Amino acid sequence: MTAANLKIEPPRLGEPYLLTPGPLTTSYAVKEAMLRDWGSWDDDFRAMTREMRQRLLALLGDGSDDFDCVPMQGSGTFSVEAMLASFIPRDGKALVLANGAYGMRSAQTLEYLGRDHIVLNKGDYLPPRGDEVAQILTDDPAITHVVAIHCETSSGILNPVEEISEAVYAAGRKLLIDSMSAFGAIDLKVADIRYEAMVSSANKCIEGVPGFGFIIARKSELEAAKGNSHSLSLDVHAQWAHMNKTGQWRFTPPTHVVAAFLEALRGHDAEGGVAGRGGRYTCNRDVMVDGMRELGFETLLKDRWLSPIIVTFFCPADENFVFDRFYELMKDKGFIIYPGKLTVVDSFRVGCIGQMDEHVMRQVVTAAKETLDEMGVQNAAPPAIALEERAKLAA
Ligand SMILES: Cc1ncc(COP(=O)(O)O)c(C=O)c1O
């Protein structure tokens, strides 16, 4: 099945569409999968955990035999922390590539963990590039690991992880990727891009509900991670070893969330896997961005860096535009959008992921037009300072 003939049902329970980067709008089948209880020690649930891990590994393509998948209770941040603490040895040093809130959160996590690190901070607009990474690694031989954010969800920028990976391994260092909001919609095939470990979570592009994340890591790194973690519950090596020995999670698993996620993985497969899912999201983005630009809105990013995950728009300069009112009026029309997370100018975000297709995105644009009219906003163009800032920083 391709994105073109996949049937997306409107939410049956009458709830608004979530144009947010997760939790997101899920299918009815995913919700329905949570309508029964599972014994966490029972063979049926162990089989579900096993199938889930196998399906996730299969998304890595050829070469996935060298990797294993370790689900981890908690939200995505718990899995990022687990990855950083487990794979960066206590005497290691990390280079964090930051261009938004999630890169900065990884740096903050390393601070908490007491792991030596430096940050390449590119601000809100720009991706870290391979040649910059290569230079930093040449200048600082103590760096053992580089931490990259695949899609920096705070702006929606899609970072060039392939060229970053090339620079990292050319310098003989190791790459860890936070692919939270990209995995499942954007390829991270191990035959194409080298890395030691990556993380994502249940409520992003696979379209499950929140409750756990997962770390996919090279088996040799999983072996070597023994004893690195500061934390009992977030120790990836311990979770992995226990799961492989017993088939069980170490501590109470989010059983219903796993059941929903398995259903979501089947839906992902039926849509054509990463290519099918990514194709639908790309179409969602293109339809929505074209329509919003026709209304006068401007995107934060140039087309080259726009991800098919979430798009940041500048708030209009028109004095009648008030974000909170725009939000409420959009919600009244059935669409929940997302506030911006930029440091310099006012912005908001519209997500392209979840059970939505281009028809829904056209309705979003119509709702935005009607909302601007209701607010008396004549022109959705951003203030000159936003465009000057963008031109200056992106130069
Ligand atoms: C790139 C990235 N990293 C980390 C996180 C943190 O995940 P959570 O909010 O589930 O803890 C997110 C959440 O959106 C994200 O997009």
Side-chain angles (χ1 to χ4, degrees), residues 21 75-77 80 102 105 149 151 153 178 180-181 201 204:
S75 84
T77 304
V80 175
Y102 294 108
R105 189 178 296 174
I149 312 297
C151 171
T153 326
D178 171 353
M180 199 70 68
S181 62
S201 72
K204 301 287 191 195

Side-chain angles (χ1 to χ4, degrees), residues 50-64:
R50 196 165 53 241
E51 182 181 342
M52 172 182 81
R53 293 173 70 198
Q54 282 163 355
R55 282 181 175 270
L56 284 170
L57 279 174
L59 300 183
L60 267 51
D62 291 346
S64 66

Side-chain angles (χ1 to χ4, degrees), residues 124-237:
D124 289 331
Y125 302 72
L126 293 176
R129 301 305 303 257
D131 51 357
E132 299 173 282
V133 174
Q135 189 59 54
I136 297 170
L137 296 179
T138 304
D139 294 345
D140 190 344
I143 294 169
T144 54
H145 290 75
V146 175
V147 180
I149 312 297
H150 196 177
C151 171
E152 176 45 81
T153 326
S154 52
S155 65
I157 195 166
L158 190 59
N159 284 319
V161 284
E162 292 83 359
E163 70 178 43
I164 290 169
S165 168
E166 277 165 25
V168 170
Y169 287 95
R173 320 300 168 82
K174 292 179 172 176
L175 181 63
L176 306 176
I177 303 178
D178 171 353
S179 186
M180 199 70 68
S181 62
F183 186 73
I186 299 173
D187 263 331
L188 210 48
K189 290 223 160 66
V190 290
D192 300 336
I193 166 167
R194 191 164 166 197
Y195 52 90
E196 303 308 314
M198 56 131 292
V199 285
S200 184
S201 72
N203 58 290
K204 301 287 191 195
C205 298
I206 307 290
E207 300 185 354
V209 302
F212 69 92
F214 48 92
I215 297 107
I216 295 182
R218 206 176 281 281
K219 286 176 186 162
S220 54
E221 291 295 303
L222 284 161
E223 295 282 2
K226 189 170 184 183
N228 282 347
S229 183
H230 64 301
S231 161
L232 171 75
S233 55
L234 296 178
D235 186 335
V236 179
H237 173 87

